[in-house]
Amino acid sequence: MTKFKNILITGGAGYVGIPTVSLLLEKGYKVRVFDNLSWGGDVLLPFFRNPNFGFIRGDIRKKEELQKALKGIDAVIHLAGIVGFPACRKFPERSREVNVDGTKNVVDVAAGKTPVIFASTGSTYGKIIENFCTETTVLNPLSHYGKQKAEAEEIVKKNKKFIIYRFATAFGVAPRLRLDLLINDFTYRAITEKTLMVYEKDFMRTFIHVQDMAQSFLFALKNYKKIEGEIYNVGDESLNISKEKVARLLLKYVDYHLHFVPDGHDIDQRDYVVDYSKIKKLGFRTKIGLEDGIKELIKACEVIEVKNPYCNV
């Protein structure tokens, strides 16, 4: 079994990063966060009391900063990126510099010696002919985000020592909360606006709680030799669900007006069921279901104060 002790997390101050840092520290890993703090660094403050925590402020677009960050590191969890199609559409050049060129910098510095565990996305599938996705489904990304992540996957493969995770759409509460994600967005709007307009209601989507994403990285570190050099869909079939069913599930807990509208569309055209058997056969299982995640989001909405909750950049 490969023993990893010193872990670098790029983008460790983000939505997925903070739960991952917290979990790995809890499990006794030494964790170094590399982040440009574009969203601020207050979420990192509780970690500084832990002697196993370290922080380097830097930008993955600058290779020399990454070289410093990777010194003494056993494995890299690469989360840094501009995430989601709205943000990448708004900043196409910047997002490419970060998502593609930045990933190349990570791989160049890792130099085939340091394993890279890469957070990719189901958005790489894009518009597909089949309604069922496995890791061998031909990619057809439509958005800047999907295309950039697909290109970044090919770069990560060149490191030879790698694991690529194609995640379902994240949801759930985390210290650096994102409200541009579908379930988080639906919940916040239903509570604060008392109404929700849903387009493409029959489109099938697939989800994973942010804490389960963190657990998947722990699984990768513990089982690296068993799962290295492969791509995995990460989620669970029980969380393949239509947008309509998500909205109706919310009605169990929130009194709001639900409207289905013909206008509007998902640029990524995500409308498919995803197969997660590959990683499940190796022993990984998600633990948090949609209802539990929605109930925690409802409670969290009591303390959320944001000026523009729908902007992710």
Side-chain angles (χ1 to χ4, degrees):
M1 177 183 295
T2 301
K3 294 290 186 180
F4 296 128
K5 186 64 178 178
N6 299 287
I7 311 301
L8 177 70
I9 303 181
T10 70
Y15 176 62
V16 180
I18 294 299
T20 304
V21 171
S22 181
L23 177 62
L24 295 190
L25 288 174
E26 176 189 325
K27 298 300 181 181
Y29 290 88
K30 292 184 178 181
V31 179
R32 182 183 299 162
V33 165
F34 181 82
D35 199 293
N36 66 3
L37 300 185
S38 58
W39 286 95
D42 288 355
V43 287
L44 293 172
L45 292 177
F47 300 132
F48 281 93
R49 294 187 61 190
N50 192 317
N52 287 333
F53 176 75
F55 172 74
I56 294 178
R57 185 167 186 166
D59 192 320
I60 62 169
R61 292 174 294 180
K62 298 178 180 178
K63 192 180 294 186
E64 65 277 9
E65 294 180 356
L66 275 169
Q67 288 170 336
K68 177 183 176 182
L70 261 80
K71 287 183 179 179
I73 291 297
D74 300 322
V76 178
I77 296 175
H78 180 32
L79 303 178
I82 294 179
V83 182
F85 70 78
C88 291
R89 178 178 57 184
K90 187 174 183 180
F91 303 103
E93 292 182 8
R94 179 184 165 196
S95 63
R96 180 174 178 79
E97 290 174 358
V98 173
N99 295 344
V100 179
D101 299 340
T103 297
K104 185 179 185 301
N105 286 340
V106 171
V107 170
D108 285 348
V109 176
K113 299 176 181 179
T114 306
V116 175
I117 305 168
F118 178 52
S120 188
T121 171
S123 290
T124 56
Y125 291 118
K127 181 68 174 178
I128 63 172
I129 298 174
E130 306 88 356
N131 291 322
F132 186 76
C133 284
T134 71
E135 289 83 355
T136 60
T137 297
V138 176
L139 304 184
N140 184 29
L142 302 180
S143 66
H144 287 294
Y145 177 55
K147 290 176 181 178
Q148 289 167 8
K149 282 292 192 176
E151 190 171 346
E153 284 188 11
E154 294 303 311
I155 293 169
V156 170
K157 290 177 186 178
K158 294 178 182 178
N159 194 55
K160 300 186 185 303
K161 293 183 177 181
F162 71 88
I163 296 168
I164 295 172
Y165 279 164
R166 288 180 186 152
F167 283 108
T169 298
F171 74 103
V173 174
R176 212 294 277 169
L177 188 60
R178 282 181 60 191
L179 291 175
D180 58 309
L181 299 163
L182 189 144
I183 291 177
N184 296 3
D185 173 44
F186 278 17
T187 305
Y188 185 81
R189 289 181 186 271
I191 290 173
T192 60
E193 300 174 8
K194 301 300 181 184
T195 187
L196 181 62
M197 292 186 290
V198 178
Y199 57 83
E200 296 176 334
K201 68 184 180 71
D202 296 322
F203 271 37
M204 293 296 296
R205 294 290 299 275
T206 181
F207 303 97
I208 183 171
H209 194 280
V210 63
Q211 295 292 341
D212 282 324
M213 295 176 75
Q215 289 288 344
S216 75
F217 291 118
L218 176 63
F219 179 82
L221 294 174
K222 286 185 171 182
N223 299 277
Y224 178 77
K225 279 297 182 184
K226 185 167 66 172
I227 69 174
E228 69 171 324
E230 295 284 344
I231 298 173
Y232 301 91
N233 292 329
V234 184
D236 191 87
E237 288 83 359
S238 65
L239 279 77
N240 286 322
I241 185 173
S242 71
K243 292 170 69 173
E244 178 179 2
K245 287 185 178 179
V246 172
R248 293 197 183 281
L249 183 57
L250 259 173
L251 285 170
K252 291 178 60 176
Y253 304 102
V254 182
D255 182 18
Y256 75 96
H257 297 287
L258 173 60
H259 305 278
F260 297 111
V261 296
D263 298 325
H265 70 281
D266 177 1
I267 292 177
D268 281 326
Q269 286 296 289
R270 290 165 288 182
D271 179 23
Y272 39 73
V273 172
V274 178
D275 171 61
Y276 298 104
S277 61
K278 183 175 178 178
I279 197 166
K280 289 172 73 173
K281 287 176 181 176
L282 294 169
F284 178 74
R285 297 287 191 282
T286 61
K287 297 179 180 178
I288 304 174
L290 289 178
E291 287 201 55
D292 287 341
I294 285 173
K295 286 188 283 188
E296 73 176 28
L297 281 164
I298 291 170
K299 293 177 182 178
C301 281
E302 296 179 9
V303 299
I304 296 173
E305 294 182 10
V306 286
K307 293 180 180 179
N308 186 2
Y310 307 117
C311 181
N312 192 40
V313 169

